């Protein structure tokens, strides 16, 4: 009886076990679904985290780029502000005027003494000082010429007298030539009238030459510079009497 009861007992036990194992089977399905849900939730959460991380990285890169771009602009502005200002001038040719003062001995390259070459007389005025530049023919000093002026006026009057005599002699000759054809005067009278006319014309020329001589002599009373140059010395003063032997008046 005990042996027969064992199979039954075992069979019952098997049945019970099979029955009881049904619940664990359903629990396994539920557990599997729960695991899938949890796996899906973990996978979705991981993707969400990845998306958030990627978004944060992209935002950080954008912010870094903006900061970097702004820094470059600031650096560019700072560099532009620190650049030196350069002034550019077009090349060309120009003259630069300047004065140089120096101490030394001044010597003439060709020293030229100047004195009185005329009759001389009293110096009326001196027109230059040492250190003045003069041109050729410039008047350096003037000598009194009051006497020479009167002589020039007299010579000019003599020219007028001689010219009047010459005109009269020419008129007498013209009248004689008209009368010689009618036989009122002889040929010898015509020759005499011609000689008189020629003498009068010659006296006019002599008077003109005398006037020119007086003017030239008077012009020599002006002491002039023979060449252009620099006046180094002056040895004459107004009121001083000079002559051809007075020596060097200007150098």
């Amino acid at each position: 009886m005990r042996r027969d009861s064992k199979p039954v007992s075992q069979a019952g036990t098997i049945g019970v076990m099979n029955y009881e194992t049904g619940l664990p089977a359903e629990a396994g399905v539920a557990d599997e679904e729960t695991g899938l849900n949890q796996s899906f939730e973990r996978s979705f959460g991981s993707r969400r985290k990845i998306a958030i991380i990627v978004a944060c990285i992209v935002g950080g890169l954008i912010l870094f780029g903006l900061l970097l771009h702004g820094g470059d602009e600031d650096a560019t502005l700072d560099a532009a502000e620190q650049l030196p200002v350069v002034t550019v001038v077009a090349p060309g040719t120009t003259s630069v005027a300047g004065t140089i003062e120096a101490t030394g001995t001044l010597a003439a390259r060709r020293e030229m003494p100047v004195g009185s070459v005329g009759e001389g007389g009293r110096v009326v005025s001196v027109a230059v000082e040492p250190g003045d530049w003069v041109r050729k023919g410039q008047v350096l000093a003037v000598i009194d010429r009051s006497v020479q002026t009167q002589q020039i006026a007299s010579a000019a009057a003599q020219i007028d007298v001689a010219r009047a005599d010459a005109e009269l002699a020419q008129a007498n000759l013209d009248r004689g030539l008209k009368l010689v054809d009618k036989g009122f005067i002889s040929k010898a009278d015509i020759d005499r009238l011609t000689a008189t006319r020629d003498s009068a014309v010659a006296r006019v020329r002599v008077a003109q030459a005398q006037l020119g001589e007086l003017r030239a002599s008077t012009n020599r009373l002006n002491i002039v510079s023979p060449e252009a140059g620099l006046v180094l010395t002056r040895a004459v003063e107004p009121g001083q009497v000079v002559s051809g032997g007075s020596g060097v008046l200007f150098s």
Side-chain angles (χ1 to χ4, degrees):
M1 289 297 288
R2 293 179 179 177
R3 292 178 180 180
D4 293 335
S5 62
K6 289 181 180 180
V8 175
S9 176
Q10 291 177 352
T13 302
I14 293 171
V16 173
M17 292 295 292
N18 291 333
Y19 177 77
E20 291 178 356
T21 57
L23 291 176
E26 293 179 358
V29 173
D31 292 337
E32 185 177 359
E33 291 180 356
T34 302
L36 290 175
N37 292 331
Q38 292 178 353
S39 176
F40 176 76
E41 289 179 357
R42 285 193 302 270
S43 176
F44 181 76
S46 298
R47 290 180 181 180
R48 186 176 182 183
K49 290 179 180 179
I50 292 172
I52 293 173
I53 293 172
V54 170
C56 291
I57 293 173
V58 172
L61 291 176
I62 294 174
L63 180 60
F64 178 75
L66 292 176
L67 293 176
L68 181 62
H69 182 67
D72 293 338
E73 290 183 352
D74 295 338
T76 303
L77 292 176
D78 294 338
E81 292 177 356
Q82 295 177 359
L83 288 177
V85 179
V86 179
T87 302
V88 180
V89 179
T93 303
T94 183
S95 299
V96 179
T99 302
I100 300 176
E101 297 182 0
T103 302
T105 302
L106 181 63
R109 180 180 300 174
R110 291 185 299 273
E111 188 171 351
M112 185 173 297
V114 180
S116 175
V117 296
E119 296 180 359
R122 183 176 59 87
V123 177
V124 177
S125 63
V126 180
V128 296
E129 296 288 343
D132 293 343
W133 288 94
V134 295
R135 63 183 182 277
K136 182 178 180 179
Q138 181 176 341
V139 177
L140 305 179
V142 178
I143 299 175
D144 179 50
R145 64 191 65 195
S146 57
V147 176
Q148 288 79 6
T149 301
Q150 297 301 321
Q151 291 175 349
I152 290 173
S154 176
Q158 289 296 328
I159 292 176
D160 294 337
V161 172
R163 187 176 288 116
D165 292 341
E167 291 175 356
L168 179 59
Q170 182 65 45
N172 291 332
L173 179 60
D174 292 339
R175 284 192 297 268
L177 292 174
K178 292 179 181 179
L179 295 175
V180 73
D181 294 337
K182 296 179 181 181
F184 292 102
I185 62 173
S186 64
K187 192 75 171 176
D189 294 331
I190 295 299
D191 293 339
R192 187 170 55 253
L193 292 173
T194 302
T196 303
R197 190 275 314 271
D198 292 342
S199 298
V201 172
R203 285 194 297 272
V204 171
R205 294 175 180 173
V206 170
Q208 290 175 344
Q210 291 176 350
L211 178 60
E213 181 182 358
L214 286 173
R215 285 176 174 172
S217 178
T218 302
N219 290 334
R220 294 175 68 181
L221 294 175
N222 288 334
I223 301 175
V224 299
S225 174
E227 293 293 339
L230 178 68
V231 179
L232 299 180
T233 61
R234 163 183 162 176
V236 62
E237 296 296 333
Q240 181 178 345
V241 178
V242 297
S243 63
S246 298
V248 178
L249 303 179
F250 298 94
S251 177

